[in-house]
Amino acid sequence: MEIENVKRSEITNFKAEVFFEELQFMLDGKSEREFWVKNHGMNSRSFSKDVLDVSSEIYATDEEVKEAVFIHLSRNSIYHQLPEVFFHPLSISNPTMSNREIVEAIKENKKVEDANIKFFIPFDTALFIEKCKLSNRYLSIFTDDYSRSNLFSLAKKIIQMDIPLRKEQLYKLFLNLCNSEKFKENLPELEVLLAAILGDDISLEYKRKTLLESPFKDLGPCILGYNFGTKGPVISEQDDILATIIMDKSPTYKVLLKNISIIKKILSFFVFSNREVDVQYRFTEISGFLLGENHLGFDTITLKA
């Protein structure tokens, strides 16, 4: 019944590689099924689409009963690609043959053709599966293993920054860089992005920047705008950014330094370049002491901050 539904569906009009993916989806949950491709040869006048038919065949092995699904395609088999002389005589008739003998020779030739097409089914199927894998690199660019590997390589070339991220983290960063307008100077959205990449909550806020050294050049005996009419530090018009990593437990110092580096490099894509990024960390658990209830002394426990 499932095969009949497939025949009546619109997916038979799809290209064979796309049809195969949809067919597997529609027949999902039937892991005991085997899929085979039977190529009937190309004839543009007779066939206007890839998929001619879908059939099911039940067969028994020594251990179990299995179902094979045959996908009939209007494509050339390996059999059709090889020289005809390998399988058939150059001529099936001669002047001494009667009409009945010619008809019998044609029927025998057809039987040989069918037998050869069946012989090459495993080889045609293997080639078809490889073509499907190539198609999936384009159809499933974000999920196919080969496509994702190429995508990671492409992301590294585009980002051109040595950020110590795992592949999954680099994947998330790359996708969000494609939508950088949404995150530009948007601290709430950047908090969500950093949390998704690092796995820890991140708090971002603007921090007033104070210039302790004069940004101006000398003008005569005094410095214009710094100690000529003013005195003390200068408040910058552009604030810096303070990032706070909120963690449940203290990580190793190496991991902490790596996360600080990652935050600074990621924020460099989304905030103005003249802002400095300071990173601090805070733990939601602290060590403390409570007086024991049943014995003398203190019980060392972990308290929630």
Side-chain angles (χ1 to χ4, degrees):
M1 184 63 183
E2 289 177 314
I3 298 297
E4 293 300 320
N5 291 336
V6 170
K7 291 182 180 181
R8 291 193 295 267
S9 69
E10 295 181 354
I11 70 170
T12 55
N13 296 318
F14 294 167
K15 186 178 177 181
E17 288 78 10
V18 180
F19 168 83
F20 182 61
E21 292 299 316
E22 291 298 316
L23 177 65
Q24 288 179 303
F25 176 77
M26 293 181 69
L27 302 181
D28 188 29
K30 301 294 183 180
S31 58
E32 66 274 10
R33 280 189 171 121
E34 295 180 352
F35 293 91
W36 300 97
V37 172
K38 186 175 183 179
N39 293 324
H40 292 262
M42 297 179 63
N43 188 334
S44 57
R45 296 184 62 184
S46 301
F47 309 134
S48 60
K49 59 183 182 178
D50 269 351
V51 181
L52 300 176
D53 192 14
V54 183
S55 61
S56 177
E57 186 174 311
I58 305 296
Y59 67 96
T61 65
D62 294 338
E63 299 178 353
E64 57 184 338
V65 176
K66 292 186 177 182
E67 178 183 7
V69 177
F70 285 87
I71 305 172
H72 302 263
L73 301 180
S74 60
R75 294 185 179 183
N76 281 338
S77 166
I78 296 178
Y79 158 76
H80 298 100
Q81 304 291 343
L82 294 174
E84 186 176 357
V85 69
F86 285 1
F87 311 102
H88 306 280
L90 293 177
S91 176
I92 62 172
S93 65
N94 60 65
T96 62
M97 295 176 64
S98 65
N99 290 339
R100 180 181 295 275
E101 290 174 332
I102 293 176
V103 171
E104 291 298 325
I106 293 175
K107 289 182 179 179
E108 184 63 26
N109 208 35
K110 179 62 176 174
K111 291 180 180 179
V112 173
E113 177 183 350
D114 292 339
N116 287 326
I117 289 178
K118 290 181 179 179
F119 172 81
F120 282 106
I121 282 178
F123 306 99
D124 291 334
T125 301
L127 290 176
F128 178 76
I129 295 299
E130 292 302 316
K131 289 182 180 179
C132 287
K133 291 179 180 179
L134 292 174
S135 299
N136 283 338
R137 296 185 187 184
Y138 303 98
L139 296 174
S140 309
I141 187 171
F142 297 115
T143 55
D144 180 73
D145 290 337
Y146 293 103
S147 298
R148 291 181 66 181
S149 179
N150 293 335
L151 183 62
F152 293 141
S153 300
L154 178 64
K156 287 182 179 180
K157 291 293 184 181
I158 293 177
I159 294 175
Q160 289 188 339
M161 185 180 291
D162 185 19
I163 307 179
L165 294 174
R166 300 189 305 274
K167 283 188 175 182
E168 295 77 11
Q169 295 173 318
L170 182 64
Y171 170 72
K172 293 178 182 179
L173 175 60
F174 174 71
L175 291 183
N176 286 288
L177 282 175
C178 297
N179 193 23
S180 58
E181 296 83 359
K182 172 185 175 182
F183 296 94
K184 198 71 175 179
E185 291 290 329
N186 189 338
L187 298 191
E189 289 292 342
L190 287 173
E191 288 177 347
V192 176
L193 171 61
L194 289 171
I197 294 177
L198 294 177
D200 294 315
D201 291 333
I202 309 294
S203 173
L204 300 177
E205 58 183 310
Y206 289 114
K207 174 186 174 184
R208 175 174 291 182
K209 183 172 185 176
T210 302
L211 303 176
L212 301 178
E213 297 182 2
S214 172
F216 307 106
K217 296 182 178 180
D218 292 345
L219 181 63
C222 60
I223 303 175
L224 181 63
Y226 185 64
N227 58 6
F228 184 59
T230 62
K231 185 177 181 181
V234 178
I235 303 299
S236 174
E237 295 181 356
Q238 193 84 326
D239 292 336
D240 290 336
I241 290 181
L242 176 63
T244 304
I245 310 175
I246 304 172
M247 295 174 284
D248 292 335
K249 296 181 180 180
S250 175
T252 63
Y253 186 64
K254 184 178 180 180
V255 171
L256 190 59
L257 286 181
K258 185 182 75 171
N259 289 344
I260 291 175
S261 174
I262 290 174
I263 290 175
K264 288 186 176 183
K265 291 181 178 180
I266 291 178
L267 288 180
S268 67
F269 290 107
F270 303 105
V271 299
F272 294 125
S273 58
N274 58 346
R275 296 191 193 275
E276 292 186 7
V277 178
D278 295 326
V279 182
Q280 64 181 16
Y281 52 90
R282 187 175 77 238
F283 306 118
T284 57
E285 293 184 352
I286 60 174
S287 294
F289 293 94
L290 283 182
L291 181 63
E293 297 179 354
N294 300 320
H295 55 83
L296 182 63
F298 292 91
D299 298 330
T300 304
I301 65 167
T302 300
L303 300 175
K304 287 290 184 180

